[in-house]
């Protein structure tokens, strides 16, 4: 019984130490969510208005440009997948990877070759373990991205979009990330960044909204060339911020669950330890009583 009691006490100490770590990680993730949310809110209006500006230029001109023109027979599509650098975030990265896999299968079903770009060590490890080719990858900034990180990731994508397909270019650009909805809800989504969809503008026209007329200097093509990098960078930056907020929220939820489970396990082990201690005390009392009884019997026999 003594050995069993020591095992229970050792496990209780181990689980208690783990609980302290998970509780600390939960509090750190909770504190970072607030900052990430503010960054998302601050960056979203810029990305939205830039998209509207690009849409306005596209609808106000007849210039063919990779940003707005659909290819006659699209053959290759780039996918930018955003995952996390660290684990302990539940199914955050796994869900994003599954969304990218579904998108890849859909593109292949349409007869397009999928070219994958990955942000985050989890995504890189996933494709590396399966020996699947990655066009490019970036790591080390998923929990706190900056605009410079988005610009670095956007550069090869912009180059691929502006190149001819025969030279390694792509006809479409998609991004897969986890959209932050609330503290409890984060949804993996896939959006097509290029060519830009003009459905929103058509809806506004259908509502009777009067769109402004633009004069382009020096030309509409030059304006689109200037807006293309800004548009891709802003969309990637906003996606990185949303993914970072989602990662912190998922990690907080996972660490809270781990802390609660550790508390339940400590209670269960404490009950088992108490039962073992009571059994040990009962056994010792029984041994004392049995010894005293045997001694009394022996004494009574010697008196006769």
């Amino acid at each position: 019984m003594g050995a069993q009691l020591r095992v229970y006490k050792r496990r209780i100490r181990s689980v208690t130490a783990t609980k302290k770590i998970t509780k600390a990680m939960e509090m750190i993730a909770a504190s970072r969510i607030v900052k990430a949310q503010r960054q998302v809110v601050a960056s979203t209006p810029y990305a939205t208005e830039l998209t509207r500006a690009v849409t306005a230029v596209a609808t106000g001109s007849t210039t063919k440009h990779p940003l707005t023109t659909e290819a006659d027979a699209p053959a290759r599509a780039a996918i930018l997948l955003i995952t996390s650098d660290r684990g302990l975030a539940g199914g955050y990265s796994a869900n994003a990877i599954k969304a990218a896999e579904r998108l890849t299968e859909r593109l292949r079903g349409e007869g397009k070759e999928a070219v994958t770009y990955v942000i985050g060590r989890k995504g890189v490890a996933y494709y590396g373990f399966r020996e699947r080719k990655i066009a490019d990858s970036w790591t080390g900034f998923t929990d706190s991205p900056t605009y410079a990180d988005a610009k670095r990731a956007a550069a090869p994508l912009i180059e691929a979009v502006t190149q001819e397909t025969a030279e390694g270019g792509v006809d479409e650009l998609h991004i897969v990330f986890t959209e932050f909805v609330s503290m409890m809800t984060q949804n993996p989504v896939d959006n097509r960044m290029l060519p830009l969809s003009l459905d929103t503008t058509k809806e506004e026209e259908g509502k009777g909204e009067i769109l402004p007329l633009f004069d382009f200097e020096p030309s509409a093509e030059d304006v689109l060339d200037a807006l293309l990098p800004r548009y891709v960078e802003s969309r990637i930056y906003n996606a990185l911020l949303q993914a970072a907020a989602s990662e912190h929220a998922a990690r907080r939820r996972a660490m809270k669950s781990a802390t609660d489970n550790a508390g339940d396990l400590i209670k269960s082990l404490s009950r088992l330890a108490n039962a073992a201690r009571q059994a040990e005390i009962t056994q010792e009392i029984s041994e004392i009583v049995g010894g005293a009884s045997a001694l009394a019997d022996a004494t009574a026999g010697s008196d006769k």
Side-chain angles (χ1 to χ4, degrees):
M1 288 295 180
Q4 188 177 16
L5 181 59
R6 286 194 296 272
V7 170
Y8 287 140
K9 288 183 177 180
R10 184 164 59 247
R11 289 190 63 190
I12 289 173
R13 288 195 298 269
S14 176
V15 175
T16 301
T18 302
K19 181 181 178 181
K20 290 180 181 178
I21 295 173
T22 56
K23 184 64 177 178
M25 294 184 67
E26 176 191 347
M27 296 176 66
I28 292 172
S31 65
R32 290 178 175 176
I33 292 175
V34 178
K35 179 181 177 181
Q37 282 182 291
R38 291 174 180 171
Q39 289 179 319
V40 171
V41 173
S43 69
T44 299
Y46 175 77
T48 302
E49 290 304 317
L50 184 57
T51 302
R52 287 175 59 86
V54 173
T55 304
V57 175
T59 55
S61 68
T62 58
T63 302
K64 290 187 177 182
H65 194 273
L67 201 154
T68 58
T69 305
E70 295 274 359
D72 295 333
R76 303 183 80 220
I79 301 175
L80 176 61
L81 168 63
I82 300 178
T83 62
S84 65
D85 285 321
R86 298 184 295 124
L88 301 177
Y92 166 76
S93 293
N95 292 334
I97 291 172
K98 289 178 183 177
E101 292 290 275
R102 289 193 296 268
L103 175 60
T104 301
E105 291 300 321
R106 189 173 78 239
L107 292 174
R108 288 175 179 170
E110 296 172 358
K112 303 171 187 174
E113 178 188 355
V115 183
T116 305
Y117 297 78
V118 181
I119 294 177
R121 291 190 179 93
K122 291 299 179 180
V124 173
Y126 175 86
Y127 286 93
F129 179 77
R130 289 159 180 78
E131 298 182 352
R132 294 169 61 180
K133 185 178 179 181
I134 298 177
D136 206 342
S137 62
W138 304 267
T139 60
F141 55 82
T142 59
D143 59 344
S144 183
T146 63
Y147 194 84
D149 298 323
K151 191 172 183 179
R152 186 155 50 94
L157 295 171
I158 296 171
E159 182 180 356
V161 169
T162 55
Q163 286 181 342
E164 295 293 333
T165 306
E167 300 175 357
V170 297
D171 300 309
E172 296 178 359
L173 175 56
H174 300 258
I175 184 169
V176 179
F177 65 99
T178 306
E179 182 182 26
F180 181 84
V181 180
S182 66
M183 295 287 286
M184 297 302 297
T185 305
Q186 301 87 43
N187 299 324
V189 297
D190 62 89
N191 294 334
R192 193 182 77 169
M193 287 195 292
L194 295 175
L196 181 66
S197 175
L198 305 180
D199 293 340
T200 304
T201 304
K202 292 178 181 178
E203 291 178 1
E204 292 176 352
E205 290 177 349
K207 294 178 182 178
E209 181 177 347
I210 300 176
L211 298 178
L213 298 176
F214 292 93
D215 290 328
F216 306 110
E217 294 183 358
S219 66
E221 185 176 0
D222 291 333
V223 173
L224 289 173
D225 286 339
L227 288 178
L228 174 61
R230 304 292 177 269
Y231 168 74
V232 176
E233 291 165 6
S234 66
R235 289 290 299 272
I236 293 177
Y237 181 53
N238 184 260
L240 283 172
L241 293 178
Q242 296 224 34
S246 300
E247 179 184 348
H248 294 316
R251 181 167 291 111
R252 174 185 174 276
R253 189 167 60 252
M255 290 300 98
K256 185 179 186 306
S257 178
T259 302
D260 294 341
N261 291 337
D264 295 338
L265 184 56
I266 290 172
K267 291 179 181 178
S268 177
L269 291 173
S270 297
R271 285 194 293 267
L272 293 173
N274 291 335
R277 183 166 57 249
Q278 291 172 359
E280 183 178 357
I281 294 172
T282 302
Q283 183 178 358
E284 291 177 354
I285 293 174
S286 299
E287 291 174 354
I288 293 172
V289 171
S293 177
L295 182 61
D297 291 344
T299 304
S302 62
D303 290 342
K304 293 179 180 180

